[in-house]
Amino acid sequence: MLLLLLFVALNSAEKNNVNETVTCDGVVFHQVYYDRQILIKNLGRPYNLVMHKYSRTLFFSQTVQNKRGVDFEIKACDLSIIKDDKNPECSIIKGVPGGYAIAYDAGNDDLYFGGHDGIYKYDFPSKQAKFFSEKGKSIWGLFIRRNFYFIEYPSQKLYVYYNDRFVEVAEAVNIEVDIFFKSKLGEVYFANKTALYKVEKLTKHPIVLSDNIIVRQIADDTFGDVYICASDGVYLEDKPYRRVKKVADIEKAFGLTFDERDNVMYSDEETIFRLLPSNKSKTCWYDYNIGDEDDRLKDYVII
């Protein structure tokens, strides 16, 4: 009787497994397969992802259509509550015309924005931006770590806050800068239309890490590892070879950051995703390494 019941249970389990399908539509990041969680959709090229981990609020810029034509705005989305198939509560940061640049000052827990008409500081209680500095200047980029930097548009000149005012960075006087980043170890990275560079700490001279990727954002995790979000995926510096290596294939990527648990968050043309550990890793890992590289969506029947 016991053997008969065991046979029936195994037979039933096998029938159920035959009908179970696994969809592999996630991302392999650092040789590990992750599921993609949709956070915010129906966006216009979300750039400059910055996560305020204490409030679990994601800030980013996106393109919009207005009377001027194509312009930019900055949005803030509360990720503390996420409902399936619905965008979290989001709001537009008003008072920053052409809001594009975003920087977080971790040392003082302050957030700054840049737009067509200068730099603005975010007031968390009122959720409004107030003018801070550089009236009349169009701000392309902002970065804060130990020092406060900004990139002016359209000259693409790099400035740093020094002696109560912003001055042009002497080492970058003759260099156009589109993206600037300084690691927790003090290593400097910057990118422009020509290449991705790193400034050697000893020589102070820039070296080319790559001249064949289009850099969209540079970010680091809590361990200090520096990741480069490019138009075709995510890269990591391949030390000590003065080059980068791809750690994730992402088509039309635009932004990258990390949440309060160090989960990867990235954006494509219309959507912001979060990568989460998957219980389908073994099955889907086979797809990405043995299957067709151009076919990233497959259904598997578990037998």
Side-chain angles (χ1 to χ4, degrees):
M1 184 64 178
L2 180 61
L3 290 175
L4 179 60
L5 290 174
L6 181 60
F7 174 79
V8 171
L10 289 174
N11 189 48
S12 176
E14 184 175 338
K15 288 181 179 179
N16 289 334
N17 285 337
V18 167
N19 295 324
E20 182 183 347
T21 60
V22 175
T23 300
C24 297
D25 60 349
V27 172
V28 170
F29 190 90
H30 259 321
Q31 304 295 311
V32 178
Y33 176 85
Y34 292 88
D35 290 328
R36 293 191 308 174
Q37 178 191 25
I38 295 176
L39 295 176
I40 312 161
K41 51 190 177 181
N42 302 321
L43 300 172
R45 296 186 174 186
Y47 292 91
N48 300 323
L49 276 58
V50 173
M51 184 70 182
H52 184 253
K53 299 179 180 181
Y54 298 114
S55 64
R56 299 182 68 184
T57 302
L58 177 66
F59 295 84
F60 60 92
S61 64
Q62 69 167 348
T63 56
V64 293
Q65 194 76 28
N66 58 23
K67 294 180 181 179
R68 290 185 175 186
V70 177
D71 206 350
F72 301 97
E73 69 179 14
I74 296 174
K75 296 191 77 172
C77 296
D78 182 1
L79 301 185
S80 59
I81 300 177
I82 299 177
K83 297 181 180 179
D84 293 340
D85 300 324
K86 290 185 179 180
N87 281 345
E89 183 178 340
C90 298
S91 59
I92 299 171
I93 304 299
K94 297 181 180 179
V96 187
Y100 180 76
I102 307 172
Y104 177 56
D105 179 3
N108 297 297
D109 192 29
D110 287 326
L111 202 65
Y112 294 85
F113 307 127
H116 295 322
D117 194 28
I119 301 172
Y120 296 77
K121 185 176 181 181
Y122 185 63
D123 181 64
F124 281 94
S126 66
K127 297 184 178 181
Q128 294 181 351
K130 300 179 180 179
F131 180 77
F132 174 74
S133 183
E134 302 308 291
K135 184 71 175 177
K137 288 189 177 181
S138 184
I139 308 300
W140 179 264
L142 292 170
F143 185 81
I144 304 171
R145 180 168 280 157
R146 299 185 182 93
N147 296 307
F148 195 141
Y149 301 87
F150 83 82
I151 302 169
E152 185 181 11
Y153 178 83
S155 68
Q156 305 309 117
K157 296 296 184 182
L158 179 67
Y159 293 81
V160 63
Y161 196 71
Y162 180 74
N163 283 345
D164 298 326
R165 66 190 183 97
F166 283 100
V167 297
E168 195 170 347
V169 175
E171 293 84 352
V173 167
N174 298 316
I175 300 174
E176 290 188 357
V177 179
D178 291 333
I179 296 174
F180 177 84
F181 185 87
K182 194 172 185 179
S183 75
K184 294 176 180 177
L185 297 176
E187 300 169 314
V188 172
Y189 301 80
F190 68 92
N192 55 28
K193 297 175 182 64
T194 304
L196 167 67
Y197 301 88
K198 179 182 179 181
V199 179
E200 298 278 66
K201 293 184 70 173
L202 295 178
T203 64
K204 301 294 183 181
H205 293 303
I207 60 170
V208 176
L209 291 181
S210 176
D211 59 2
N212 60 7
I213 62 174
I214 301 172
V215 179
R216 297 270 170 78
Q217 187 170 2
I218 303 176
D220 57 2
D221 59 16
T222 55
F223 300 102
D225 293 325
V226 177
Y227 291 86
I228 296 96
C229 176
S231 58
D232 64 342
V234 181
Y235 293 78
L236 184 67
E237 183 182 358
D238 191 10
K239 297 179 179 180
Y241 302 108
R242 294 184 172 182
R243 64 190 184 193
V244 294
K245 59 182 179 181
K246 183 181 279 191
V247 296
D249 278 306
I250 299 173
E251 186 178 359
K252 297 180 180 178
F254 279 88
L256 176 77
T257 190
F258 296 85
D259 71 6
E260 70 280 1
R261 297 183 178 178
D262 234 19
N263 293 311
V264 176
M265 304 168 72
Y266 77 91
S267 61
D268 62 16
E269 284 187 303
E270 298 180 341
T271 308
I272 298 176
F273 302 91
R274 174 161 44 200
L275 299 185
L276 298 174
S278 174
N279 57 11
K280 305 176 294 186
S281 294
K282 291 184 179 179
T283 301
C284 294
W285 173 244
Y286 177 86
D287 169 30
Y288 277 78
N289 287 272
I290 307 300
D292 184 357
E293 291 184 358
D294 295 327
D295 183 8
R296 292 307 191 198
L297 177 60
K298 290 190 176 181
D299 291 332
Y300 286 91
V301 177
I302 305 299
I303 299 176

